[in-house]
Amino acid sequence: MSYVDEVIEQVIVKYPDQPEFHQAVREVLNTIRVVIEADEEKFRKDALLERLVTPEREIKFRVSWVDDKGQVQVNNGYRVQFNSAIGPYKGGLRLHPSVNIGILKFLGFEQIFKNSLTGLPIGGGKGGSDFDPKGKSDREVMAFCQAFMTELYKYIGQDTDVPAGDIGTGAREIGYMFGQYKRLTTSYEGVLTGKGLSFGGSLARTEATGYGLIYITDEMLRCHGQSMAGKTIVVSGAGNVATYAIQKAQSLGAKVVTCSDSTGWIYDPDGIDVELLKDIKEVRRARLTEYKNARPNAEYHEGRGVWQIKCDIALPCATQNELHLDDAKQLVANGCYAVCEGANMPTTEDATQYLQDNGVIFIPGKAANAGGVATSALEMSQNSERLSWTFEEVDAKLKAIMENIYHNIDDTAKKYGMEGNYIAGANIAGFEKVLNAMTAQGIV
Ligand code: NDP
């Protein structure tokens, strides 16, 4: 058996209850096979792949907090410090009932290659809790965040591990966590990114993942002799990534006709009204049924279904494994030209294969949504310098980073004889830099 297959098998046997982690490992290892097999015995002797798929550290802790009724609640908290070969661990904190160690290992593993692709010195990590912020009062969210940080602060720091937001962790949660870190350590440092602008946050960080997704999509289109103007786009999600992707796409002349949340989805033939969406989701924290009430021309449907709508470009921006094989078939039948992932691993393995087999351009999340973490790294730089850059400065750097990522994955795919296969391009380009650093640093 080849070394790559051996390690994939080991991961499945060793961690049978972590299917998302298997999926991420399989996808990456299968595409970097060409690099590994060029010097297989050396890599096997160095246990390079075993080290790559094993986190440097997995931290699990209890989070006890008191709800508004005086009842004590207990959640699990986690931080997976996956790989620090090229810099301090960097990756978000997810607050969602589905969070478990397997989900965080998949996200942390992906983060290694994504962070490498940004060209910035950041390693891979991820964390979070099975706490559900939905339906909680502000005081309860604060109580949870303070209890969570009371344990997490021991393991993080501006030069060791710098967490950020993710699903369920927005500006409010980062603010409460930062306040607690400062209280516990008496240190005012850039230990978290996604902070508010008045206490070390970076302009354009909020917009960065969504904007970055559109910048890389636009560059890909330009290189294929096309442009964003006039394109019909289907987006899933109604959170941070989706909102700013819709806003930037529409500012470049595309029409985005859908969005969705965990209970239903909107089809708005006139184009999604972003200001209304932001008011519903960011201010009122309400459901998408409110959107339909304000826009009579729009349709609201329960459940999932955005991928049925005819489009030129599909941007899955909600969560993992939300675009299935049937959806991929529908997109192909409707003449979809490209799928660019705003979320992490939103497309299932069989759907990805189907899209690629049917000539749909596919940019994987680790390249397409890297704008968020790249701008987080820019926030770290500003914190270290104790300076704040203007929105335009940060946005220009973000755009340059995303264009650079596109050319890097495109060139790498060509170099290895897989032109147009951006999954292979992203995995190999991300891996080569990490490999180089791991090799140079010896067996650690
Ligand atoms: P948010 O919490 O802001 O938004 C997530 C959106 O997806 C919400 O509309 C939510 O619905 C919906 N959603 C969540 N879980 C499910 C589910 N199981 N089924 C259907 N819909 C669901 O998160 P973000 O926008 O920050 O993140 C979205 C994705 O992008 C994630 O995969 C994240 O890891 C990835 N990402 C985020 C980055 C960032 O900077 N924020 C950076 C890189 C990647 P509801 O409104 O009902 O909760």
Side-chain angles (χ1 to χ4, degrees):
M1 196 189 276
S2 79
Y3 179 40
V4 165
D5 292 324
E6 235 173 68
V7 174
I8 293 175
E9 183 103 5
Q10 274 172 28
V11 165
I12 295 169
V13 170
K14 223 167 160 178
Y15 312 108
D17 53 351
Q18 300 178 0
E20 293 85 1
F21 182 51
H22 304 166
Q23 186 180 341
V25 166
R26 224 175 5 243
E27 188 214 278
V28 170
L29 264 51
N30 274 327
T31 50
I32 62 171
R33 193 181 280 276
V34 40
V35 181
I36 299 297
E37 290 180 357
D39 204 354
E40 188 171 80
E41 283 321 303
K42 180 183 179 323
F43 289 129
R44 193 196 296 268
K45 188 150 185 281
D46 288 351
L48 191 277
L49 292 181
E50 288 88 337
R51 286 190 286 139
L52 192 70
V53 301
T54 306
E56 291 173 16
R57 207 166 291 106
E58 282 173 43
I59 300 150
K60 181 175 178 195
F61 48 90
R62 186 181 73 204
V63 187
S64 314
W65 56 281
V66 183
D67 72 15
D68 285 347
K69 296 190 188 102
Q71 174 66 49
V72 175
Q73 301 285 345
V74 180
N75 288 103
N76 291 321
Y78 307 88
R79 186 72 182 162
V80 177
Q81 298 182 329
F82 220 120
N83 189 302
S84 61
I86 63 172
Y89 310 105
K90 183 94 199 81
L93 295 170
R94 179 172 292 192
L95 301 182
H96 193 272
S98 64
V99 164
N100 58 44
I101 195 70
I103 295 271
L104 295 176
K105 280 174 67 183
F106 125 61
L107 290 163
F109 186 67
E110 288 282 290
Q111 196 83 42
I112 303 169
F113 309 99
K114 178 191 308 194
N115 292 2
S116 168
L117 282 173
T118 66
L120 300 168
I122 38 179
K126 198 84 190 186
S129 170
D130 55 3
F131 170 77
D132 187 358
K134 274 205 195 104
K136 304 288 190 300
S137 69
D138 266 0
R139 197 210 59 81
E140 288 175 323
V141 170
M142 182 171 75
F144 168 81
C145 290
Q146 291 181 340
F148 181 77
M149 186 52 84
T150 301
E151 199 55 37
L152 184 69
Y153 90 97
K154 300 166 193 166
Y155 311 103
I156 61 176
Q158 62 178 345
D159 296 319
T160 46
D161 184 353
V162 185
D166 190 66
I167 291 180
T169 308
R172 174 181 60 170
E173 290 76 15
I174 292 287
Y176 291 147
M177 290 182 197
F178 183 76
Q180 184 71 354
Y181 181 87
K182 190 162 59 73
R183 172 157 77 173
L184 291 164
T185 60
T186 65
S187 173
Y188 204 109
E189 59 180 273
V191 66
L192 291 165
T193 57
K195 298 185 292 298
L197 294 178
S198 57
F199 55 98
S202 174
L203 285 160
R205 172 60 188 95
T206 306
E207 295 83 355
T209 309
Y211 278 21
L213 171 65
I214 300 305
Y215 291 146
I216 197 169
T217 305
D218 192 42
E219 184 65 4
M220 175 276 291
L221 289 171
R222 198 182 62 75
C223 294
H224 286 78
Q226 303 211 30
S227 85
M228 201 57 100
K231 293 279 185 297
T232 299
I233 300 186
V234 159
V235 166
S236 65
N240 174 265
V241 180
T243 301
Y244 293 97
I246 296 171
Q247 186 182 73
K248 180 54 79 177
Q250 301 205 140
S251 77
L252 296 179
K255 189 199 266 188
V256 180
V257 291
T258 65
C259 63
S260 65
D261 67 13
S262 48
T263 53
W265 58 285
I266 290 288
Y267 171 58
D268 187 340
D270 301 329
I272 296 291
D273 179 339
V274 179
E275 289 314 310
L276 174 61
L277 183 65
K278 280 165 79 170
D279 181 53
I280 293 169
K281 284 293 171 184
E282 292 178 8
V283 182
R284 290 189 262 155
R285 295 181 191 272
R287 309 248 53 107
L288 283 176
T289 41
E290 301 284 315
Y291 185 97
K292 160 78 187 148
N293 295 340
R295 299 264 290 185
N297 248 356
E299 296 170 15
Y300 173 80
H301 301 270
E302 290 288 329
R304 45 193 302 286
V306 295
W307 315 120
Q308 302 162 17
I309 302 295
K310 186 170 166 52
C311 66
D312 302 306
I313 298 170
L315 305 176
C317 296
T319 192
Q320 65 272 1
N321 292 329
E322 50 154 322
L323 196 163
H324 307 158
L325 180 59
D326 284 350
D327 304 320
K329 288 183 177 166
Q330 188 67 60
L331 287 169
V332 169
N334 285 344
C336 175
Y337 178 75
V339 173
C340 306
E341 296 184 321
N344 285 311
M345 212 168 75
T347 316
T348 60
E349 277 173 300
D350 51 2
T352 306
Q353 193 60 50
Y354 187 85
L355 292 167
Q356 284 192 312
D357 290 348
N358 285 277
V360 177
I361 294 175
F362 187 92
I363 307 189
K366 66 171 73 66
N369 70 32
V373 75
T375 308
S376 278
L378 300 179
E379 183 174 328
M380 289 165 72
S381 301
Q382 294 170 76
N383 291 164
S384 300
E385 286 186 326
R386 303 206 187 282
L387 288 174
S388 297
W389 304 337
T390 63
F391 187 97
E392 290 69 25
E393 269 177 283
V394 180
D395 191 38
K397 287 186 203 299
L398 167 66
K399 189 161 187 285
I401 288 168
M402 297 313 296
E403 289 171 1
N404 194 38
I405 291 176
Y406 174 71
H407 291 288
N408 190 6
I409 65 175
D410 187 44
D411 291 346
T412 305
K414 284 180 185 147
K415 181 174 148 196
Y416 285 92
M418 293 183 268
E419 183 164 357
N421 184 343
Y422 299 134
I423 299 179
N427 287 338
I428 296 170
F431 171 65
E432 280 186 326
K433 185 172 168 191
V434 174
L435 168 66
N436 196 294
M438 283 178 75
T439 307
Q441 291 170 26
I443 307 302
V444 289

